[in-house]
Amino acid sequence: MQVLKFGGSSVANAENINNVVSIVQQSFTKNKNIIIVLSALGGTTDALLEAAIIASHGDISYKEKLQPIEQRHLTTVKKLIPLDQQSSVLSTVKKRCNEIEDICNGVFLLKELSLRTKDSIISYGELLSSQIFAAKLKSLNIANAWKDARELIITDSEFGSANVDFTKTNQNIQSLFCTLDSSICIIPGFIASDKNGNTTTLGRGGSDYTAAIVAAALSVSVVEIWTDVSGMMTADPRLVSNSKIIHHISYQEAMELSHFGAKVIYPPTLQPVMNKHIPVAIKNTFAPNDAGTLIHSHISKNGSSIRGISSINKLALLSLEGSGMVGIPGFSKRLFEALSNEKINVILITQSSSEHSLCVGIEEANADKAKEVIDKTFATEIEIKKVEPLIVEKGLAIVALVGDNMKNHPGISGKMFGAIGRNGVNVRAIAQGSSERNISAVIATRDVKKAINVLHEEFFETTYKQVNLFISGTGNVGSKLLAQLQQQQRHLQDHLRIQLRVTGIANSKKMLFNDRGIDLCKWKELLQNADEMKMQQLISIIQKQNLRNSVFIDVTANDDVAGSYAHYLQKSISVVACNKIACSSSYEYYKKLKDIAREFNSLFLFETNVGAGLPVIGTLNDLLRSGDRVNRIEAVLSGTLNFVFNNYTGEKSFAKVVKQAQEEGYTEPDPRLDLSGIDVMRKIMILARETGEKLEMEDISNNSFMPESCMKGDVENFYNEMEKHEGHFKEIYKEAEAKNCKLKFVASYHNSPLGDGGVASVGLQHIQLQHDFYRLYGKDNAVLFYTNRYTEQPLVVKGAGAGAEVTASGVFADIIRAAAPSN
Ligand code: ADP
Ligand code: ASP
Ligand code: MG
């Protein structure tokens, strides 16, 4: 004998009901007896409830709510059953719908809706669906008996979520099946009656429970729960797109998952079947050949220690605190008694070992009531200040990891809290059952989706880690970066197991978002048609998107963007900056960003601030982290100036060579920053700061070679003035040439041997043949680190130090560093 239960979506319309019919027919070929438990047509219970509530407000429009319910059932009958057999079913449906209307009329007149009346109204959903289904089978000549569950399942009078009297219920079910002459029996799920014959219900989602009660009473071989997913999954598929089917799961694990929000099974369902070791199969009505999930007792101990992750929303946390609680027995008893007298269910409990506070998670809807009764219970203690008035926090949720095997695997909670912590999810309370089958964390509701996805990735996804990027700036470097990202996506997924998604792009005019990832083949067109760029809005959208493993990338040269990093870092969004403004503004701001990053577990990376794609800052940090001391840095840090002095021989004017550098994309957006030496000052300052030096721009001496008049006015004036001073530049060149030297704009930093403040300077130098800088071609940069370990010969980092392509690849490398710190 088998029990098959079909949920609301499985019987939502005639087409779906036809699927159910074929599943029943299949099952009937293999089983002599089957019992079918049916839910209401999907959405009917909610629709009935809504009509009843409207009626109870004295609002006549409840009739407009009832009308489509009737229509839907009549249409279903007409589509399912041949015309010549329809009339009796249609009149049954009509009669039931009239009864619903009669009760609602009463509710409307009295403006009163008791839990008892509510139950009686919503019971019609299951009554209708099951009678329609019985008629459908009959129309196919499949003999069956329809049995009203209210005559079988007897409960107390706790309307809305009644408790089953198993002794009476089992007797009723067993005696019915002894006398039943049909092989197929159809029962409405969800509904029951109390000992006075009033209709009760078993709680929302309770049709699963009906199936389990019947199955246990008759000791059947298996219960099949047919629904709209192919089994119980590692996480709610609506929240985690990569969730996977769990093929085998123990009763305890399934129970724990359902208690913690996995809606696929109504929580009380498993108790009766578990006692009798009856396996429960979860199957998909819309993909009947999928294996589904089998819930049973013989689960191998091998494999993953975590079986699934689930969550409960709308939680409130109650905290009772006070010095008067320490060491005095009875406080928790009184607290729980007060809650239980009000029938407030406790979902989670934690107590600090100091006994100074007691923390209880309950449904948010009961929070105000709880506050009232608990403050009343402890009124005396509150008055004499032994206990504080109850603290209530709303807007919370629980995420729970579930698995029988957790107890054999240390380190799971570390991994759990590490993963969500890295993503900036704040944990308000933690509970672990003594069975070690469940670790629960209370977090803000807005973080649930992110936390569940992060945990799913951490515990289940061996495939790839998803990283979400927001790119600010679509100029030279930005567009090269987007092209590189597009090219490399596949490679990263295959080799580093990272899935990079660009979830936002902005430039000075427009901003574009798509939290599923922007199609990088057409970002230009999409951005053109996107919303107008507004900085405040951009910050709040990125914060609200609240995506896991997020990185904000600044490839602009904009002050406002540089001023916005803290908003991201403190939400645990890492920042990769190509923009030098943040690191080269005040030391205080630079330090603040570093501190925030450390505090919120985010990364602030800016390798391309010095030497474009060259690993300068990375190398410096490696030296420092491994305990070396930097004594001196000598560097050619301006790709632009190097290009200019390598190409200027006095033939083509200096101004023209500078123009060429700008046109080839080597200069800063404003070339005066390069020519004035300011850009080089910024770079040496950043390097010095990375060694721990508190340096400001005004501390750096700049021996500029530019005539003052060039730097006044705009860029056009800058070029004009340089033309006018061609003689000056020629002079500089000739002087060096006469000594067989090359001109290099060199930055130096000398650390103080006493540790009392180093000095930095920049300026044009004559470089002789034997010097490391002599053979620096094109736009190359070179950095020489003289350290305690590299004394005679410096550690040299040398290579192309400007250009959109290499800069973009440096930004890319930082993105990978931020995305996967362990790679
Ligand atoms: P039915 O109407 O068949 O009883 P429900 O809507 O009650 O179906 O339950 C099935 C739904 O449960 C699925 O559509 C899915 O969205 C949701 N769900 C939540 N958590 C899980 C999970 N861990 N595994 C499978 N489904 C889940
Ligand atoms: N129809 C009821 C509900 O929507 C019971 C069920 O579907 O299991 O809650
Ligand atoms: Mg359900």
Side-chain angles (χ1 to χ4, degrees):
M1 193 187 283
Q2 230 184 23
V3 174
L4 281 73
K5 177 259 169 178
F6 295 90
S9 48
S10 304
V11 292
N13 51 42
E15 196 189 340
N16 295 3
I17 294 177
N18 277 324
N19 277 338
V20 172
V21 171
S22 14
I23 292 166
V24 167
Q25 282 174 320
Q26 278 270 327
S27 170
F28 196 44
T29 59
K30 292 184 226 135
N31 293 284
K32 263 180 55 202
N33 288 298
I34 53 177
I35 299 154
I36 300 161
V37 175
L38 294 163
S39 281
L41 271 59
T44 305
T45 314
D46 285 333
L48 288 169
L49 262 180
E50 194 193 355
I53 290 167
I54 292 175
S56 74
H57 295 153
D59 179 346
I60 193 76
S61 68
Y62 71 94
K63 287 187 188 277
E64 288 158 32
K65 296 285 169 190
L66 290 177
Q67 221 280 323
I69 301 177
E70 177 173 332
Q71 204 48 52
R72 180 174 175 200
H73 286 85
L74 293 174
T75 312
T76 308
V77 171
K78 286 179 194 157
K79 285 194 181 158
L80 272 177
I81 295 172
L83 198 61
D84 56 336
Q85 298 170 48
Q86 275 175 13
S87 65
S88 76
V89 203
L90 289 175
S91 77
T92 307
V93 169
K94 194 81 199 144
K95 188 171 150 271
R96 293 272 186 215
C97 290
N98 288 344
E99 287 167 16
I100 304 173
E101 188 159 359
D102 285 347
I103 308 174
C104 285
N105 290 343
V107 171
F108 171 74
L109 290 173
L110 293 172
K111 290 199 187 142
E112 190 183 285
L113 179 61
S114 65
L115 287 174
R116 179 171 136 185
T117 312
K118 240 188 214 173
D119 271 1
S120 117
I121 295 173
I122 57 178
S123 71
Y124 280 90
E126 269 67 12
L127 288 171
L128 282 164
S129 66
S130 58
Q131 286 191 305
I132 294 173
F133 190 75
K136 168 70 188 175
L137 289 192
K138 209 168 139 214
S139 75
L140 295 169
N141 289 324
I142 303 173
N144 68 86
W146 178 85
K147 195 69 202 163
D148 191 337
R150 293 174 295 185
E151 291 167 21
L152 303 174
I153 301 176
I154 308 302
T155 65
D156 62 9
S157 302
E158 203 55 64
F159 297 100
S161 187
N163 302 295
V164 176
D165 177 338
F166 278 96
T167 317
K168 285 190 188 139
T169 301
N170 288 345
Q171 264 171 16
N172 289 346
I173 296 172
Q174 283 154 5
S175 51
L176 166 78
F177 282 89
C178 286
T179 56
L180 199 70
D181 50 12
S182 187
S183 313
I184 298 181
C185 179
I186 296 168
I187 302 177
F190 183 48
I191 62 173
S193 67
D194 69 4
K195 62 178 189 306
N196 302 318
N198 296 310
T199 300
T200 56
T201 59
L202 302 174
R204 295 303 307 270
S207 298
D208 297 339
Y209 195 27
T210 307
I213 294 166
V214 174
L218 299 173
S219 300
V220 303
S221 56
V222 63
V223 185
E224 290 182 353
I225 305 282
W226 290 83
T227 181
D228 58 358
V229 275
S230 292
M232 203 158 195
M233 306 182 85
T234 48
D236 185 341
R238 289 164 301 183
L239 295 176
V240 177
S241 54
N242 294 329
S243 58
K244 299 178 179 64
I245 309 288
I246 306 168
H247 291 297
H248 292 271
I249 185 168
S250 73
Y251 291 111
Q252 286 84 356
E253 287 172 323
M255 229 179 309
E256 204 84 32
L257 274 178
S258 68
H259 271 293
F260 278 86
K263 192 189 169 212
V264 62
I265 271 253
Y266 178 54
T269 304
L270 295 169
Q271 196 64 52
V273 281
M274 181 174 78
N275 296 341
K276 295 229 164 161
H277 301 284
I278 300 168
V280 178
I282 315 236
K283 301 276 291 173
N284 190 346
T285 305
F286 307 97
N289 294 328
D290 284 1
T293 298
L294 196 64
I295 307 173
H296 56 120
S297 30
H298 313 289
I299 304 293
S300 89
K301 285 268 176 271
N302 302 330
S304 165
S305 43
I306 304 296
R307 197 73 69 188
I309 304 168
S310 52
S311 64
I312 310 180
N313 277 338
K314 300 201 177 125
L315 182 94
L317 211 54
L318 314 177
S319 309
L320 190 65
E321 293 179 5
S323 54
M325 288 163 55
V326 184
I328 299 173
F331 268 90
S332 21
K333 177 171 172 272
R334 285 165 65 201
L335 175 79
F336 292 119
E337 237 165 35
L339 292 171
S340 129
N341 289 341
E342 289 301 318
K343 300 204 163 30
I344 296 174
N345 183 34
V346 171
I347 303 173
L348 164 146
I349 309 168
T350 63
Q351 181 179 23
S352 65
S353 56
S354 71
E355 297 180 45
H356 182 267
S357 78
L358 217 107
C359 206
V360 177
I362 62 166
E363 261 181 58
E364 201 174 69
N366 295 325
D368 296 340
K369 187 86 218 158
K371 162 96 179 140
E372 194 187 312
V373 296
I374 292 172
D375 281 352
K376 204 152 128 207
T377 306
F378 293 99
T380 324
E381 286 85 350
I382 292 173
E383 202 174 331
I384 57 172
K385 298 206 159 35
K386 270 190 159 179
V387 170
E388 303 292 323
L390 187 76
I391 303 166
V392 179
E393 277 174 90
K394 296 184 184 172
L396 299 174
I398 299 182
V399 288
L401 288 189
V402 171
D404 280 343
N405 254 350
M406 285 203 291
K407 62 163 98 56
N408 304 323
H409 289 81
I412 289 177
S413 50
K415 203 167 158 189
M416 172 180 186
F417 294 111
I420 55 181
R422 273 196 303 281
N423 275 279
V425 175
N426 188 28
V427 175
R428 292 285 306 105
I430 300 171
Q432 178 173 30
S434 57
S435 66
E436 292 185 48
R437 190 175 289 127
N438 171 326
I439 308 176
S440 309
V442 177
I443 61 173
T445 306
R446 63 172 179 278
D447 287 331
V448 167
K449 188 169 180 196
K450 175 156 131 183
I452 296 223
N453 276 284
V454 163
L455 292 173
H456 199 268
E457 224 158 53
E458 192 76 25
F459 288 99
F460 292 105
E461 287 170 36
T462 43
T463 43
Y464 52 74
K465 173 177 178 184
Q466 197 175 80
V467 176
N468 298 298
L469 310 180
F470 186 92
I471 298 180
S472 183
T474 56
N476 272 351
V477 178
S479 35
K480 285 276 181 327
L481 176 64
L482 282 158
Q484 289 181 6
L485 286 169
Q486 190 196 351
Q487 263 168 25
Q488 293 298 311
Q489 262 169 341
R490 187 81 253 150
H491 174 85
L492 290 171
Q493 198 159 317
D494 295 347
H495 293 89
L496 291 184
R497 301 213 302 251
I498 295 176
Q499 190 197 45
L500 286 185
R501 295 191 318 182
V502 177
T503 53
I505 303 178
N507 59 22
S508 56
K509 296 188 191 77
K510 299 277 185 176
M511 56 184 189
L512 170 69
F513 297 93
N514 182 347
D515 59 14
R516 293 194 180 163
I518 294 166
D519 180 354
L520 293 185
C521 297
K522 37 181 179 185
W523 68 265
K524 276 192 189 138
E525 183 188 328
L526 293 168
L527 185 63
Q528 234 164 33
N529 299 316
D531 293 337
E532 194 189 325
M533 164 69 190
K534 289 203 181 94
M535 183 61 91
Q536 276 317 314
Q537 224 172 321
L538 178 119
I539 294 170
S540 86
I541 293 175
I542 297 178
Q543 287 185 345
K544 278 210 197 90
Q545 272 185 331
N546 201 11
L547 297 172
R548 65 192 185 281
N549 310 325
S550 286
V551 187
F552 176 85
I553 298 132
D554 179 7
V555 273
T556 70
N558 182 288
D559 282 300
D560 292 341
V561 181
S564 70
Y565 299 166
H567 295 289
Y568 305 117
L569 293 169
Q570 66 201 11
K571 292 280 171 193
S572 301
I573 299 170
S574 291
V575 171
V576 168
C578 171
N579 187 345
K580 286 191 258 300
I581 295 174
C583 286
S584 58
S585 62
S586 72
Y587 180 81
E588 197 191 343
Y589 185 57
Y590 158 87
K591 180 77 174 33
K592 178 179 138 185
L593 293 176
K594 290 214 139 194
D595 290 347
I596 294 177
R598 194 169 307 119
E599 184 183 347
F600 292 92
N601 266 319
S602 39
L603 289 171
F604 175 37
L605 301 174
F606 41 86
E607 177 61 89
T608 49
N609 277 196
V610 181
L614 293 178
V616 179
I617 296 178
T619 305
L620 172 58
N621 281 318
D622 283 346
L623 290 172
L624 297 169
R625 271 195 292 263
S626 64
D628 205 351
R629 180 180 192 276
V630 174
N631 300 318
R632 183 156 68 94
I633 302 172
E634 294 286 338
V636 171
L637 291 172
S638 169
T640 309
L641 289 177
N642 208 37
F643 176 90
V644 169
F645 288 111
N646 276 337
N647 285 287
Y648 180 65
T649 54
E651 283 162 29
K652 205 165 152 191
S653 79
F654 192 77
K656 288 211 173 65
V657 179
V658 174
K659 189 89 198 163
Q660 187 189 344
Q662 184 177 15
E663 278 161 8
E664 293 190 20
Y666 303 143
T667 67
E668 286 293 298
D670 179 346
R672 290 172 303 175
L673 287 175
D674 295 298
L675 273 288
S676 62
I678 290 179
D679 189 55
V680 175
M681 287 164 75
R682 285 173 173 179
K683 288 173 180 166
I684 194 71
M685 181 172 74
I686 293 171
L687 291 182
R689 283 178 173 178
E690 286 291 285
T691 70
E693 190 76 60
K694 281 189 196 156
L695 209 64
E696 301 286 359
M697 282 296 264
E698 52 272 22
D699 301 330
I700 303 172
S701 56
N702 179 354
N703 184 15
S704 175
F705 64 91
M706 287 295 279
E708 248 176 65
S709 65
C710 298
M711 308 317 283
K712 288 182 185 147
D714 56 14
V715 176
E716 202 187 323
N717 172 74
F718 162 73
Y719 280 113
N720 291 339
E721 284 297 314
M722 279 196 294
E723 281 298 358
K724 284 190 206 153
H725 288 86
E726 178 57 20
H728 162 76
F729 297 116
K730 226 174 231 161
E731 187 72 18
I732 294 177
Y733 176 75
K734 288 260 154 63
E735 227 178 276
E737 199 190 24
K739 290 202 258 167
N740 279 335
C741 285
K742 283 199 174 172
L743 284 166
K744 299 288 165 200
F745 196 80
V746 178
S748 329
Y749 162 69
H750 289 257
N751 198 350
S752 155
L754 303 172
D756 54 356
V759 287
S761 60
V762 302
L764 207 53
Q765 289 184 12
H766 291 164
I767 300 295
Q768 289 178 340
L769 182 68
Q770 56 276 31
H771 197 285
D772 279 306
F773 291 157
Y774 191 86
R775 285 187 186 78
L776 271 186
Y777 302 111
K779 54 198 184 296
D780 280 3
N781 276 195
V783 185
L784 316 182
F785 291 108
Y786 294 89
T787 72
N788 280 357
R789 291 186 198 136
Y790 293 88
T791 41
E792 303 295 305
Q793 287 302 319
L795 172 66
V796 183
V797 181
K798 182 173 158 182
E805 194 77 48
V806 287
T807 307
S809 70
V811 173
F812 200 145
D814 267 353
I815 294 175
I816 302 300
R817 240 166 257 142
S822 51
N823 273 312

